[in-house]
């Protein structure tokens, strides 16, 4: 099943609810890259305003990334695009040939017109992820992102219950992404393979809320690719019973519906590229130890 989950977790330990220090996050990412689970590890997610701090920490810790197998960063940009691009360029120059590459950027958009403007400002040599508002998704926004040669980004949760999108909103986006063939990544609230009630934060008194599962999301994406209906995708996304997800060799069956290893690999490689998580161990360990799946 590796093709379906390869490099699917972008490590976002700097962000809530983990909110690691730069030193903690850098150390952990370095350890994860050396682990046997590295095959599931994607990029290191960092805000543009913290790139200089990252350089200082990596240097101080004496970490020497391999230029032949570099760290790859996904840089979250703020509102001032020119300033953020300058920060990234400065970072790239400092690490040229030294084993760290900032080759992916993330930027929030809210309209078709904004996508057109921003796509001209951010060079196309970056993997550009434009975060879209799921609850108020404008008509044509996902398609415009595709026309710009960019990717979409969706927020599947957060540290408060109101940040989790509804199932219909998520299904509507998936339908648009499949129809326009726009790859996307998710972020927040997606630490667990299967949908269920989980704590919002790592505080022992944290509220528990119903969260999405990344296996549910992968199967729902595969359902749209095979030309399935919204109702089936909704049912998959909303499924909370672990026992109905059954690993069958390299395939996964959900309530008797088979998704082949090839279909899952295509869904991951062509549409659902991955998700940002402030924990790497949670999704990896739960996928390995989960019931059936």
């Amino acid at each position: 099943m590796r093709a379906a989950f390869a490099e699917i977790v972008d490590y976002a330990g700097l962000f809530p609810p983990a909110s690691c220090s730069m030193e903690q996050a850098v150390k952990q990412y370095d350890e994860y890259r050396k682990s046997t689970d590295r095959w599931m590890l994607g990029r290191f997610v960092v805000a543009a305003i913290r790139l200089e701090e990252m350089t200082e920490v990596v240097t101080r810790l004496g970490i020497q990334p391999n230029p032949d197998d570099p760290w790859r960063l996904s840089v979250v940009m703020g509102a001032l695009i020119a300033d953020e691009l300058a920060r990234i360029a400065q970072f790239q120059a400092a690490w040229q040939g030294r084993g760290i590459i900032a080759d992916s950027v993330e930027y929030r958009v809210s309209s078709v017109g904004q996508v057109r403007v921003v796509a001209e400002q951010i060079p196309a040599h970056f993997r550009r992820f434009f975060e879209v508002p799921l609850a108020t998704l404008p008509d044509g926004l996902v398609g415009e992102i595709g026309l710009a040669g960019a990717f979409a980004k969706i927020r599947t949760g957060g540290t408060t219950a109101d940040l989790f999108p509804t199932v219909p909103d998520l299904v509507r986006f998936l339908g648009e992404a499949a129809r326009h063939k726009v790859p996307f990544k998710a972020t927040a609230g997606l630490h667990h393979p299967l949908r269920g009630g989980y704590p919002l934060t790592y505080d022992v008194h944290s509220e528990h809320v119903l969260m999405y599962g990344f296996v549910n999301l992968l199967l729902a994406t595969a359902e749209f690719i095979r030309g399935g209906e919204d109702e089936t995708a909704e049912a998959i996304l909303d499924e909370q019973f672990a026992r109905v997800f059954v690993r069958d060799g390299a395939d996964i069956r959900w309530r008797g519906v088979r998704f082949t290893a090839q279909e899952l690999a295509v869904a991951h490689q062509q549409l659902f590229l991955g998700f940002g998580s402030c924990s790497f161990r949670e999704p990896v360990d739960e996928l390995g130890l989960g019931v059936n799946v």
Side-chain angles (χ1 to χ4, degrees), residues 83-162:
D83 290 348
E84 304 286 64
L85 288 175
R87 290 177 186 272
I88 296 172
Q90 184 178 19
F91 181 88
Q92 293 279 61
W95 285 99
Q96 180 69 37
R98 296 175 54 207
I100 301 183
I101 301 172
D103 63 349
S104 179
V105 296
E106 304 178 17
Y107 188 86
R108 186 173 297 182
V109 298
S110 59
S111 69
V112 170
Q114 186 181 18
V115 169
R116 292 171 181 165
V117 172
V118 172
E120 291 182 354
Q121 294 177 291
I122 302 177
H125 65 260
F126 289 110
R127 288 191 355 151
R128 299 169 297 173
F129 286 90
F130 293 150
E131 181 179 336
V132 302
L134 288 180
T136 57
L137 185 65
D139 291 339
L141 182 58
V142 175
E144 190 63 35
I145 291 173
L147 289 174
F151 305 147
K153 174 185 172 184
I154 55 173
R155 191 163 295 273
T156 46
T159 54
T160 58
D162 61 294

Side-chain angles (χ1 to χ4, degrees), residues 83 99 141 193 225 241 246 263:
D83 290 348
L141 182 58
I225 289 179
F241 298 103
V246 180
E263 287 179 308

Side-chain angles (χ1 to χ4, degrees), residues 29-231:
Y29 189 70
D30 188 43
E31 292 173 2
Y32 299 150
R33 282 178 56 88
K34 297 172 183 175
S35 75
T36 57
D37 297 313
R38 182 193 165 172
W39 65 275
M40 283 186 68
L41 182 64
R43 286 167 169 76
F44 183 92
V45 185
V46 58
I49 59 174
R50 301 191 69 178
L51 286 171
E52 186 176 348
E53 178 189 2
M54 183 178 181
T55 291
E56 186 277 323
V57 168
V58 172
T59 303
R60 175 165 50 81
L61 293 176
I63 296 174
Q64 298 181 329
N66 182 358
D68 295 326
D69 182 20
W71 291 22
R72 295 188 180 275
L73 310 186
S74 191
V75 182
V76 180
M77 300 177 65
L80 302 177
I81 293 177
D83 290 348
E84 304 286 64
L85 288 175
R87 290 177 186 272
I88 296 172
Q90 184 178 19
F91 181 88
Q92 293 279 61
W95 285 99
Q96 180 69 37
R98 296 175 54 207
I100 301 183
I101 301 172
D103 63 349
S104 179
V105 296
E106 304 178 17
Y107 188 86
R108 186 173 297 182
V109 298
S110 59
S111 69
V112 170
Q114 186 181 18
V115 169
R116 292 171 181 165
V117 172
V118 172
E120 291 182 354
Q121 294 177 291
I122 302 177
H125 65 260
F126 289 110
R127 288 191 355 151
R128 299 169 297 173
F129 286 90
F130 293 150
E131 181 179 336
V132 302
L134 288 180
T136 57
L137 185 65
D139 291 339
L141 182 58
V142 175
E144 190 63 35
I145 291 173
L147 289 174
F151 305 147
K153 174 185 172 184
I154 55 173
R155 191 163 295 273
T156 46
T159 54
T160 58
D162 61 294
L163 294 176
F164 288 78
T166 66
V167 173
D169 284 344
L170 188 48
V171 165
R172 181 190 174 203
F173 167 81
L174 290 178
E176 290 286 298
R179 182 160 44 256
H180 296 287
K181 296 182 173 57
V182 178
F184 68 93
K185 72 175 291 186
T187 191
L190 210 64
H191 292 195
H192 309 281
L194 299 177
R195 185 157 171 77
Y198 304 100
L200 278 170
T201 70
Y202 296 113
D203 188 288
V204 293
H205 303 295
S206 173
E207 174 188 1
H208 282 59
V209 300
L210 189 59
M211 297 184 179
Y212 292 101
F214 63 85
V215 171
N216 300 67
L217 184 55
L218 180 63
L219 265 60
T221 302
E223 175 66 16
F224 271 111
I225 289 179
R226 62 163 54 162
E229 298 180 351
D230 288 10
E231 292 78 7

